[in-house]
Amino acid sequence: MEIAIIGTGYVGLVAGVCFADAGHQVTCIDSNREKIATLLEGKLPFFEPGLGDLFHRNYKRMKFVFEVGEASSKAEILFVAVGTPEEEDGSADLSFTFEVLKQICQAPQKPKIVVLKSTVPVGTAQRAQAFCDAHSASAIEIVSNPEFLKQGGAVDDFMNPDRVVIGCRSEEAKITLERLYEPFLKNGNPIMFMDNSSAEMTKYAANSFLALKISFINELALLSDKVGADINQVRRGFSSDSRINPAFFEPGIGYGGSCFPKDLRALLHTGREHKLEMKLLKAADEVNERQKSVLVQRLKHRLEDLNERRIAIWGLSFKPNTDDVRRAPSLSIIEELVRLGASVSAFDPVAMKNAKLACKVFFEAAESAQDAARGSDALLLITEWNEFKSVDLKELRSLLKIPLIFDGRNIFDPTKMKKLGIEYYGIGRQSLDH
């Protein structure tokens, strides 16, 4: 099958590479010439585990171009995977989506099926269909096919999906999408057909519920600190209930990234548009913002004055196995530390470059985790990269000026830390003010 994909971000490029691996001819389109130039050189514009090997194996089945017109006219099916960034009021900016639809409608020959792969507000497919009906000389069907990819595990999520959700109207679209996704459903997991609005809502429901789970465990963790409970034991106890899935019940310093914050706020905005206050989602967002400040508050409480203190930061990406720092807690933490007069030495295995570009204040980019810790008055662990879990703790203690660690991901054993003479604080396990 001839497939065109507009947008070469995480969603578009992962989809393109995986479709190529299934034997399809794939054209990736992006107006960002730097991205296309990088891809034409055989390089990836971002880090995602497993994607590089798959990309190089299927490179001959892929084309990379700047213009929508010619590429879209040859495609049997066209995916739209452009960004839908958050506006100040929480709504999704759909200008890129409708600019792409405009270009598709102006192409000499148009694909019959245009799939919205980007996360778009409920009702977007209906608007897009009306737009294409008004501006295209030939019939185009808008199909909704939301992605459910986790950064750091996107390739496996695409190749072995829990489910594929399709919102469409015609039998032709149903048959085409079923044929396209059949190779990825050998494990027996379903392809679910529904109306477009339900497909759009499914994506927002999934991400918002996961955000709710994270905020719930984080609020419980704060209370555990107050009452002397251990959140890890609490989590193990309540999630052993067969009705409660333990996934995403890991206490920490809040969620970040390009999806959860944006999607939750977009659903809040949709509720406001329909005069419905989404109280649970609003609370989850507020809890998450509060959680990002926990480590700095506790560090201030312990050291009192942070002026001229040197603070080590381990982990800059919003989660492990990605170089994405969008809405990463690390950035707000660094900016707050610098505002309080501290200097920051930070290390991340892959996200250093992106963090330096995104952070509003200066911080020292250390060559290693050990270099970041050397001579520091405290260490804040932000992202749970595997290499941090296996660090030599005796060496770490000797490197720190003050053996003081605030673990935002609870990766270390408090008992072991105490035996080593390290003053250690996790989330929901031992409080400064208890």
Side-chain angles (χ1 to χ4, degrees):
M1 196 180 295
E2 288 273 356
I3 299 171
I5 298 178
I6 303 174
T8 59
Y10 282 94
V11 174
L13 192 55
V14 169
V17 171
C18 292
F19 282 139
D21 193 63
H24 301 289
Q25 299 297 317
V26 178
T27 300
C28 292
I29 309 160
D30 203 299
S31 59
N32 186 323
R33 292 182 175 271
E34 185 178 347
K35 272 190 178 181
I36 294 297
T38 298
L39 291 165
L40 287 170
E41 291 173 3
K43 301 175 183 177
L44 293 177
F46 56 83
F47 173 77
E48 178 64 33
L51 186 61
D53 290 342
L54 209 63
F55 174 69
H56 291 116
R57 190 165 78 225
N58 294 285
Y59 191 76
K60 292 182 179 179
R61 289 199 186 100
M62 303 184 73
K63 296 178 182 177
F64 306 98
V65 300
F66 307 112
E67 302 295 335
V68 170
E70 183 181 352
S72 68
S73 67
K74 293 179 180 179
E76 296 173 61
I77 184 167
L78 191 150
F79 286 81
V80 179
V82 296
T84 55
E86 181 184 345
E87 299 275 30
E88 286 189 12
D89 62 356
S91 62
D93 179 358
L94 296 176
S95 59
F96 300 110
T97 301
F98 279 88
E99 176 57 32
V100 164
L101 292 174
K102 178 181 176 182
Q103 293 175 39
I104 293 169
C105 290
Q106 291 173 346
Q109 293 177 301
K110 305 163 191 65
K112 293 182 179 179
I113 298 173
V114 174
V115 181
L116 297 182
K117 195 70 175 167
S118 308
T119 300
V120 293
V122 181
T124 301
Q126 186 176 359
R127 286 180 55 197
Q129 188 65 65
F131 181 90
C132 290
D133 290 346
H135 293 87
S136 174
S138 57
I140 292 175
E141 179 173 355
I142 297 294
V143 171
S144 301
N145 174 215
E147 53 85 16
F148 297 96
L149 307 180
K150 299 186 298 291
Q151 285 177 241
V155 171
D156 186 60
D157 284 345
F158 197 100
M159 298 294 244
N160 303 285
D162 292 330
R163 76 295 200 197
V164 174
V165 173
I166 306 290
C168 63
R169 297 178 302 161
S170 73
E171 190 65 22
E172 179 186 0
K174 181 179 177 181
I175 292 170
T176 301
L177 271 295
E178 201 165 31
R179 181 162 60 96
L180 181 64
Y181 277 108
E182 186 180 11
F184 306 104
L185 298 169
K186 299 300 184 184
N187 58 4
N189 287 339
I191 182 167
M192 300 178 177
F193 290 99
M194 57 187 73
D195 62 272
N196 292 79
S197 292
S198 295
E200 292 166 336
M201 179 70 92
T202 298
K203 167 64 177 181
Y204 281 101
N207 276 4
S208 295
F209 183 66
L210 295 177
L212 277 168
K213 291 183 74 174
I214 295 169
S215 286
F216 177 68
I217 194 68
N218 281 336
E219 194 151 54
L220 284 182
L222 295 185
L223 184 58
S224 293
D225 276 336
K226 298 289 186 183
V227 301
D230 183 332
I231 191 60
N232 283 358
Q233 295 190 47
V234 173
R235 175 177 56 83
R236 186 178 61 174
F238 79 73
S239 66
S240 63
D241 188 318
S242 61
R243 298 167 297 178
I244 301 175
N245 187 322
F248 283 80
F249 274 136
E250 295 288 345
I253 50 174
Y255 55 78
S258 62
C259 295
F260 286 4
K262 177 175 72 73
D263 293 352
L264 187 144
R265 290 171 185 175
L267 197 53
L268 281 169
H269 183 269
T270 298
R272 289 195 297 272
E273 284 186 318
H274 293 274
K275 295 181 172 55
L276 176 65
E277 184 182 4
M278 311 285 283
K279 294 183 179 181
L280 280 175
L281 299 187
K282 182 180 179 182
D285 189 39
E286 291 171 354
V287 168
N288 190 63
E289 290 306 303
R290 179 181 65 184
Q291 199 71 15
K292 292 178 182 180
S293 67
V294 165
L295 292 190
V296 175
Q297 289 175 5
R298 293 182 177 181
L299 181 65
K300 283 171 59 182
H301 183 81
R302 170 61 180 79
L303 295 179
E304 296 183 357
D305 185 4
L306 296 184
N307 191 44
E308 297 188 359
R309 295 282 194 175
R310 175 184 167 91
I311 308 299
I313 297 286
W314 281 8
L316 295 166
S317 56
F318 83 93
K319 62 182 289 188
N321 299 318
T322 180
D323 60 355
D324 196 344
V325 298
R326 286 175 287 182
R327 291 191 180 276
S330 63
L331 299 185
S332 57
I333 288 170
I334 291 172
E335 288 163 12
E336 179 67 5
L337 288 171
V338 171
R339 188 185 70 79
L340 293 169
S343 63
V344 174
S345 180
F347 173 76
D348 187 284
V350 301
M352 297 292 284
K353 180 181 177 182
N354 287 346
K356 290 293 283 185
L357 291 172
C359 196
K360 297 175 183 177
V361 298
F362 172 82
F363 67 87
E364 177 189 332
E367 293 292 325
S368 68
Q370 289 75 15
D371 284 344
R374 186 173 286 108
S376 293
D377 294 292
L379 166 65
L380 274 56
L381 192 144
I382 308 299
T383 313
E384 64 275 33
W385 286 94
N386 281 335
E387 69 177 78
F388 301 153
K389 298 175 184 178
S390 58
V391 71
D392 184 331
L393 294 175
K394 288 184 179 179
E395 180 191 16
L396 176 59
R397 185 190 185 287
S398 69
L399 290 171
L400 289 166
K401 183 178 178 181
I402 301 175
L404 175 63
I405 295 177
F406 291 84
D407 182 356
R409 301 298 177 182
N410 288 350
I411 72 170
F412 295 126
D413 180 352
T415 302
K416 184 181 292 186
M417 294 299 231
K418 186 176 181 179
K419 287 180 179 178
L420 289 169
I422 296 174
E423 189 177 350
Y424 173 78
Y425 302 98
I427 301 292
R429 301 169 85 181
Q430 184 181 4
S431 173
L432 280 170
D433 55 14
H434 178 68

